[in-house]
Amino acid sequence: TAHWLRGDADRCRDLAADAMARARRSGDDRALAAAHTVLALVAAHDGDRLANDTHYLRALDHAERAGDVLQIIRIRLNRGSRLNEEGFHDEAIAELDLAIGLADLGGYGSFKAIALCNRGEARGALGHIDEALDDVQGSKAIFQRLGSLLVSYPLGQAGDLHAARGQTALAYAAFTEAVDVARRSGDLQGLVPALGGLARLVA
């Protein structure tokens, strides 16, 4: 996952294949859930949506059999993100609502923050800007409390939402901070949309 976030698809692919081989030998549902999740990331990088969905469904099945709440949350988060990418925002919200509920029950703050950020993206795409900003600000607050560099994600989302409202100064500040944080963490997935938003704003 770390290599995927840094854009090193080849290393991610090698480790994912190794993880799956080891998980199959072990027969452990937790290991199989984790391996299928990372294979779904590889499939997403390769643009193979069918394989991506198949791996997530298998991962969810194994995680539920293991009673692994943390992995169930992660899988639902990733599925929600994929649905957002494909424009199925109502379906994404339904998936993310489940993730948020489980994160609250389990006390998984960072995963709740990711889910709120992704739900904010979905709500923003549907034109519900006030609700979207509430989600994004909630996500930002959690990440700041945790001292997490993943705060670049809600910052980038806030930039998009402020730009949609014509609040140029607020959007510029949010995008600029998002770019700075993503560069420091080496997270290309967070950096690219923030740079794209900043470029559109400046243009």
Side-chain angles (χ1 to χ4, degrees):
T1 302
H3 285 292
W4 185 82
L5 284 170
R6 294 177 67 85
D8 189 347
D10 290 337
R11 185 67 178 133
C12 176
R13 185 176 288 103
D14 290 344
L15 288 170
D18 186 30
M20 180 53 76
R22 292 170 185 265
R24 283 181 174 148
R25 284 198 300 273
S26 75
D28 181 78
D29 280 314
R30 283 191 173 95
L32 286 161
H36 276 295
T37 298
V38 78
L39 282 171
L41 294 177
V42 172
H45 182 275
D46 293 340
D48 189 342
R49 291 298 189 183
L50 179 59
N52 176 265
D53 196 43
T54 299
H55 281 299
Y56 277 138
L57 290 173
R58 289 180 181 170
L60 189 58
D61 183 51
H62 286 294
E64 287 176 341
R65 271 192 268 171
D68 191 332
V69 175
L70 184 62
Q71 288 206 73
I72 292 169
I73 295 168
R74 182 186 183 199
I75 294 159
R76 292 203 177 278
L77 280 175
N78 290 1
R79 283 173 52 83
S81 179
R82 181 181 63 80
L83 288 164
N84 266 343
E85 289 174 9
E86 294 178 346
F88 297 108
H89 302 298
D90 287 318
E91 292 85 346
I93 289 170
E95 197 77 59
L96 295 164
D97 282 345
L98 291 170
I100 290 166
L102 289 171
D104 277 334
L105 286 173
Y108 298 113
S110 60
F111 280 133
K112 179 177 181 180
I114 296 168
L116 284 171
C117 184
N118 291 351
R119 191 174 70 180
E121 178 185 358
R123 286 176 163 174
L126 292 170
H128 307 307
I129 304 297
D130 288 338
E131 292 178 347
L133 276 169
D134 285 344
D135 279 345
V136 168
Q137 296 301 336
S139 172
K140 177 183 167 185
I142 294 170
F143 280 137
Q144 286 178 328
R145 188 173 70 246
L146 295 173
S148 173
L149 293 178
L150 291 174
V151 74
S152 64
Y153 290 89
L155 284 168
Q157 287 296 327
D160 285 329
L161 294 167
H162 289 311
R165 279 188 161 170
Q167 297 169 318
T168 307
L170 288 173
Y172 186 85
F175 283 135
T176 302
E177 189 176 357
V179 167
D180 177 59
V181 173
R183 278 189 173 139
R184 277 191 283 135
S185 66
D187 184 348
L188 295 183
Q189 184 180 238
L191 178 61
V192 170
L195 280 172
L198 186 59
R200 287 191 300 273
L201 188 72
V202 170

